[in-house]
Amino acid sequence: MSSPFLIWTMQRTGGTSLTELLMSMSEHRSAEHEPFNWAKKQPRQFWPVTDAWNTTHNADVLRASLDGLFAQRYLIKHCYELLSMSFNMHLMQAAAATPYRHVVLRRRDEPSRLVSKFIAESQGTWFKDYARKVFTQVAEGDRKLAPLPVDRVVGHYRHSEDATKFINDTLASLDVPRLEIWYEDLYTGTREARLKHLHGLFDFLGFTPADVAEHRALIDEKIFQSGQNTRSVASLLPNLGDVLEGLQSAGCDISQSPLAEGVELPGRDVLPAGPRDRIARECAVFAQTYAAVGPYLEIGREGPQHAVLNHPDFEGSERAFVSGRAGRPQDGVAAHVADPNDLRALFADASVGTVLWINGLAHDKKFWRTLDEIGRVLKPGGTLIVVTPGFSKSAGQTGINITGQKGNAIADATITYRVHDAPDYWRLSPQGLRDAVLDGFAVREVRVMMMPPRIFAVATKPEQA
């Protein structure tokens, strides 16, 4: 018997034909495509589950609903970037308690996926028959494509990157059977190479050689006679160059995209995002995942120009920033130069919905006083997000060799961020942050990321009786 599966993908990745094939080969029941989403004309099959979560955020009700669906072994294709990461987290946790296998379907040519998505939004070309009609009209000059909204395309790219990392990291932490596959491996290249990748997927899901032989004609139809055709008209977008330049500036790899062929772009290297950008993006994902709410207070080490709360995901909320340094605050962020050990002059008890403590703990001689202040200003049930330099695995476990003066490997050495920006007092292990520093809070997650390691933690203040 083959395994039930959940396909994690994003809109316009090109997974519809593949999903139809796998569902046809399986003996388990098939859910509607993207069943947790809302469709324009009518809600999808499992939309009531999503709607109930969006309305109440009752985790027990959501888990009971998901457990009921997984008990029926529905085959599901899910576009994760369209729903909140908190919903996705519960979906993964519920599936982890079942025999489900997880397929993460991605696309190397991200520009084509994004352009396809925004053309579909503009022209309504979500379905093949209508898309073929519209694209023919465009190619023949009877219809023109409108310019795409560059800021929205770039913003969605960034959101998609964050969401994908969250999905992969969470699935890995749950230790569930997971296979990452790429659209291009199945739909481009030689027939032999494509079949090799496809049979690897079949083996992962437990399909037998007899299953494959029985569906040979359908495999040929869904894999070798299918694909997306947005590229045929994308070159006619009036601002394709602007879209690609915006994506390139945001760090998107456009080198593997056929859309860039013949398009003049600025000849410059793309600089990778710095650690501040990475930390801000990770915190934004955590805030969304755990349904953090404002008002927001960030306690930082640097000036307000480097605040995590400057990230676009926090815009529109009441935001305040405190550190010992002055600087140029961004619009919408109230900046204060103050000692975080005593914030009584600035913030009343239970006045803040979320506190972000970013890189301050390491430089705070009496960090426990700041922690007391955080507990005071947070509302009951409020969220605390902590980021601090730390240490975790030995260097050898991370693939880095540390040697002594004689060149001998030091097997049990660990890596941490250098002493910097004096005074610099503390480095913590994940256990130290979770069990000692955050004692008294309800710790939701502790995760080590980046190199040198930073420890990220999310906790909530207990509800008062």
Side-chain angles (χ1 to χ4, degrees), residues 24-207:
S24 296
M25 295 176 67
S26 175
E27 69 272 23
H28 302 289
R29 65 172 63 186
S30 301
E32 183 180 3
H33 285 296
E34 303 168 24
F36 296 104
N37 295 350
W38 171 265
K40 289 185 177 180
K41 294 184 178 180
Q42 62 181 13
R44 298 280 175 88
Q45 186 176 2
F46 302 149
W47 169 253
V49 175
T50 312
D51 190 40
W53 170 251
N54 292 340
T55 303
T56 67
H57 285 281
N58 188 315
D60 293 334
V61 170
L62 176 60
R63 182 59 184 265
S65 298
L66 295 175
D67 287 345
L69 296 178
F70 287 129
Q72 299 178 68
R73 299 297 186 257
Y74 277 105
L75 305 174
I76 297 171
K77 172 198 169 193
H78 176 56
C79 289
Y80 54 81
E81 90 282 14
L82 301 181
L83 296 180
S84 70
M85 293 304 107
S86 56
F87 179 93
N88 288 327
M89 179 184 67
H90 287 292
L91 186 62
M92 285 183 278
Q93 290 175 339
T98 72
Y100 272 68
R101 291 187 163 244
H102 300 260
V103 177
V104 181
L105 175 62
R106 300 183 61 186
R107 190 154 185 172
R108 293 190 182 94
D109 181 8
E110 189 70 347
S112 288
R113 184 188 73 82
L114 292 164
V115 166
S116 175
K117 169 184 168 61
F118 282 89
I119 287 180
E121 288 187 359
S122 173
Q123 303 293 325
T125 52
W126 296 105
F127 302 101
K128 287 186 177 180
D129 289 343
Y130 184 67
R132 189 177 295 111
K133 176 182 177 181
V134 169
F135 294 165
T136 298
Q137 292 173 342
V138 172
E140 293 177 354
D142 297 328
R143 184 169 182 162
K144 291 186 177 181
L145 296 177
L148 297 187
V150 177
D151 289 344
R152 284 188 59 215
V153 175
V154 172
H156 192 75
Y157 163 72
R158 289 182 171 132
H159 167 70
S160 298
E161 289 288 288
D162 291 340
T164 298
K165 185 179 186 308
F166 174 78
I167 295 298
N168 274 325
D169 286 352
T170 305
L171 289 174
S173 70
L174 292 170
D175 198 26
V176 295
R178 172 177 60 113
L179 179 67
E180 188 173 66
I181 59 175
W182 299 87
Y183 171 89
E184 289 83 355
D185 290 340
L186 299 178
Y187 287 96
T188 64
T190 66
R191 185 180 183 91
E192 291 73 21
R194 293 160 71 178
L195 282 173
K196 181 179 179 180
H197 290 290
L198 189 62
H199 281 283
L201 174 59
F202 290 161
D203 291 342
F204 175 74
L205 295 178
F207 293 127

